[in-house]
Amino acid sequence: MTVAHPVGEPTAAEEYDVIVVGGGPAGATAATAVALRGHRVLLLEQQAFPRYQIGESLLPSTVHGVCRILGVEDEVARAGFKLKRGGTFRWGRNRDPWQFSFALSPRLADPTSFAYQVERSRFDAILLANARRVGVEVRENCRVKGVLADEERVRGVSWTGPGGEPREARARYVVDASGNGSRIHGEVGGRRTYSDFFRNIAVFGYFAGGRRLPKPNDGNIFCAAFDEGWIWYIPLRDELTSVGAVVSRERAAEIQRDPLAAWRRLIDACPEVRDLLHGVPQSTEAPYDQVRVRKDWSYWKTRLWRPGMVLAGDAACFVDPVLSSGVHLATYGALLAARSINSGLAGTLDENRLFDEFEARYRHEYSLFYEFLVSFYDMHQDERSYFWKARKVTNVGSTELEAFVELVGGLASRDTTFDGLGEAGARLTTSATELDTAVGRLPASDGLRNPLFESATIRQVFQEGAVLQERGVLGGPLEEEAPLRPGGLVASEDGLMWVTPDR
């Protein structure tokens, strides 16, 4: 809600360079990256940290790229999170599990070929504390009610403090990183577009232990497809395992009626996961003693910014979690936003050009993950099941293709743009076939190279993450960074601003 004259008697508005709404990974990343450039930042978070959150499996780009750029990688390493060297999947034609190893990517070589399985309450608290350390003014238990705006731009926010007192704060830029339940994302305009293909329901909880995969893959996320959908199995520590089932939205009534019974039944329906949990009790440790339900619907906004305001994290987009992309997309989008904000505050480039760069890159990264996931779902061959039959590329309807074309339209991506529905459908079919072929070659692999990375779809989806890692570890990419599109920008040497390629 745009607030011109807030109700009540707020104190005089405080002045900042940037206001960030939300203290999760996206908000903490954006706030820290702006504060590192010497700007005054206010971060407003409606809860008190530490707090529970799902999305526990990270990718290397967050650990070795974003965290290192923010100066928090060593602290994350000292936290003792479970090491994750890749993913293990019981998915596709082959009934035997197969590995997805980060180390076999030519761009993710040791010593950065790993990520972590994290308890988000601890991981998010580390990022937020780091934001405080670099100068961000963090205020918890504060609820943003609306934005302050005029005809030209967003100028700030109205909010209530811990005691319910009305407040106002003004800034040159507002970052909405307040999650999928954001109250203010509509202020940038556009609409939230939901995928028809990925409208699922997730029911999840925790066990007090569980068997582990053989070393060195004992820290891998294990994803197993079964008739009704798929299950994740994430080893967080020896005595704690996160287990969740993703099923069709048609199961929503059954799950909502008795989440615990539905969760247990779905686990029993997947023998690979059921056997790992044989004899293991459900966790009684708070906050892991509850079974939770979430609408697992993928979506994106048709507009991600307006003058004075930008979206990041789940306020901007969300995609199916099977590839553990949630925290990556949130922190990556927040870093892109921070680059545009830092450059805007410095007055080095035109604001429209800066934020068009942010939006083009964010949409491009999202579209790569989205295309990969459509292909990945298509690879599972058990079409006896309603769930899997409905999630074949050949059953993607015109509405979904139109939404996908709209998502990537006009971005001049690194490979191709789509001219229409026919081209988009053909591209998705090709990607699915290529990925299925690559996975089929895994059993005959010599272990020295991973056939998965010979798939163009796989290479593209990890390309930007690899550049982030190289920037964090080496201070810049191994190869000269090229603009995403003609006339586009590239990151500065420290990764915190945009510059023209000739600079």
Side-chain angles (χ1 to χ4, degrees):
M1 165 175 76
T2 302
V3 179
H5 302 286
V7 177
E9 298 181 0
T11 58
E14 301 170 276
E15 298 286 340
Y16 296 86
D17 296 312
V18 177
I19 300 167
V20 177
V21 184
T29 295
T32 302
V34 172
L36 285 171
R37 277 286 181 163
H39 302 301
R40 191 175 180 213
V41 183
L42 171 66
L43 186 150
L44 299 170
E45 164 57 45
Q46 74 172 19
Q47 298 186 57
F49 277 43
R51 55 89 177 97
Y52 173 81
Q53 185 58 271
I54 193 63
E56 299 144 330
S57 196
L58 304 187
L59 294 179
S61 57
T62 301
V63 175
H64 308 292
V66 174
C67 286
R68 189 170 291 204
I69 290 170
L70 301 181
V72 75
E73 185 189 27
D74 289 343
E75 187 173 353
V76 172
R78 290 193 298 269
F81 294 124
K82 186 71 173 176
L83 208 67
K84 169 189 174 182
R85 300 189 182 278
T88 300
F89 296 88
R90 221 306 299 142
W91 197 295
R93 295 176 188 272
N94 194 330
R95 298 300 301 177
D96 296 326
W98 50 273
Q99 313 292 336
F100 181 95
S101 173
F102 298 131
L104 292 178
S105 165
R107 299 181 74 104
L108 300 182
D110 286 328
T112 63
S113 58
F114 65 88
Y116 297 112
Q117 313 285 18
V118 300
E119 295 174 64
R120 284 287 303 278
S121 59
R122 296 172 55 213
F123 177 75
D124 292 8
I126 289 171
L127 294 188
L128 193 62
N130 183 60
R132 279 194 175 97
R133 215 167 18 244
V134 302
V136 176
E137 186 176 335
V138 177
R139 300 186 187 180
E140 299 174 69
N141 290 314
C142 295
R143 183 180 293 272
V144 170
K145 309 295 286 186
V147 306
L148 308 174
D150 54 32
E151 295 79 8
E152 294 182 355
R153 63 188 300 120
V154 171
R155 305 285 183 180
V157 300
S158 63
W159 53 287
T160 55
E165 64 277 12
R167 307 288 293 272
E168 286 185 0
R170 296 182 178 271
R172 177 77 178 276
Y173 294 105
V174 172
V175 179
D176 180 14
S178 57
N180 64 351
S182 165
R183 295 182 170 198
I184 60 173
H185 73 85
E187 295 296 334
V188 302
R191 67 186 185 280
R192 186 175 277 187
T193 297
Y194 288 90
S195 164
D196 294 325
F197 196 81
F198 292 118
R199 291 202 187 194
N200 300 323
I201 297 291
V203 54
F204 51 93
Y206 297 83
F207 283 84
R211 289 175 55 201
R212 299 296 181 240
L213 300 173
K215 292 181 181 296
N217 299 314
D218 53 305
N220 281 12
I221 183 173
F222 178 48
C223 295
F226 69 117
D227 285 352
E228 296 178 62
W230 64 273
I231 289 185
W232 77 71
Y233 184 96
I234 302 175
L236 294 174
R237 42 186 155 92
D238 289 347
E239 69 280 10
L240 188 65
T241 304
S242 172
V243 183
V246 176
V247 298
S248 170
R249 57 181 168 175
E250 282 74 20
R251 300 281 186 187
E254 171 202 347
I255 291 172
Q256 294 287 0
R257 189 163 51 247
D258 191 339
L260 174 59
W263 181 58
R264 289 285 195 171
R265 184 189 68 75
L266 291 168
I267 291 171
D268 286 342
C270 182
E272 294 87 355
V273 172
R274 180 193 62 209
D275 292 348
L276 290 171
L277 294 169
H278 180 71
V280 180
Q282 184 180 345
S283 176
T284 58
E285 172 191 351
Y288 305 116
D289 54 347
Q290 300 179 41
V291 174
R292 295 173 168 91
V293 179
R294 174 173 172 169
K295 283 196 307 184
D296 199 23
W297 292 10
S298 298
Y299 59 83
W300 60 89
K301 284 279 291 188
T302 59
R303 187 171 178 182
L304 297 178
W305 75 279
R306 65 174 280 196
M309 184 174 176
V310 62
L311 306 181
D314 286 0
C317 58
F318 175 80
V319 73
D320 185 272
V322 71
L323 198 60
S324 308
S325 56
V327 175
H328 163 72
L329 283 171
T331 55
Y332 174 75
L335 183 61
L336 296 178
R339 289 174 184 172
S340 298
I341 289 169
N342 285 334
S343 299
L345 291 171
T348 55
L349 290 164
D350 174 72
E351 184 177 76
N352 286 338
R353 188 178 182 189
L354 291 169
F355 285 92
D356 285 347
E357 185 70 33
F358 151 79
E359 180 155 334
R361 285 182 177 261
Y362 205 177
R363 288 189 184 284
H364 177 76
E365 188 75 351
Y366 182 92
S367 71
L368 290 176
F369 275 89
Y370 190 87
E371 179 180 333
F372 169 86
L373 288 164
V374 171
S375 304
F376 193 75
Y377 268 65
D378 182 83
M379 192 181 71
H380 190 67
Q381 299 298 312
D382 187 4
E383 292 193 40
R384 298 169 301 171
S385 157
Y386 168 79
F387 182 90
W388 293 109
K389 185 179 292 187
R391 284 156 183 82
K392 304 299 289 181
V393 168
T394 51
N395 291 331
V396 173
S398 60
T399 302
E400 183 73 6
L401 285 176
E402 286 170 2
F404 184 59
V405 171
E406 179 186 66
L407 170 66
V408 300
L411 297 186
S413 64
R414 287 188 179 94
D415 47 325
T416 185
T417 53
F418 299 118
D419 294 326
L421 303 189
E423 184 179 345
R427 169 63 179 271
L428 292 176
T429 301
T430 300
S431 297
T433 301
E434 183 185 62
L435 185 60
D436 185 36
T437 301
V439 170
R441 293 174 58 196
L442 279 172
S445 172
D446 57 11
L448 300 178
R449 58 192 178 89
N450 191 335
L452 292 177
F453 290 101
E454 296 171 12
S455 159
T457 305
I458 288 282
R459 288 199 309 272
Q460 289 168 356
V461 83
F462 283 104
Q463 182 171 346
E464 190 64 20
V467 171
L468 270 179
Q469 286 179 248
E470 292 163 5
R471 187 173 299 282
V473 175
L474 305 173
L478 293 175
E479 303 163 3
E480 184 176 348
E481 188 176 0
L484 177 66
R485 56 198 180 131
L489 305 172
V490 296
S492 60
E493 191 169 324
D494 63 1
L496 298 178
M497 293 182 71
W498 294 120
V499 297
T500 54
D502 57 318
R503 293 179 56 191

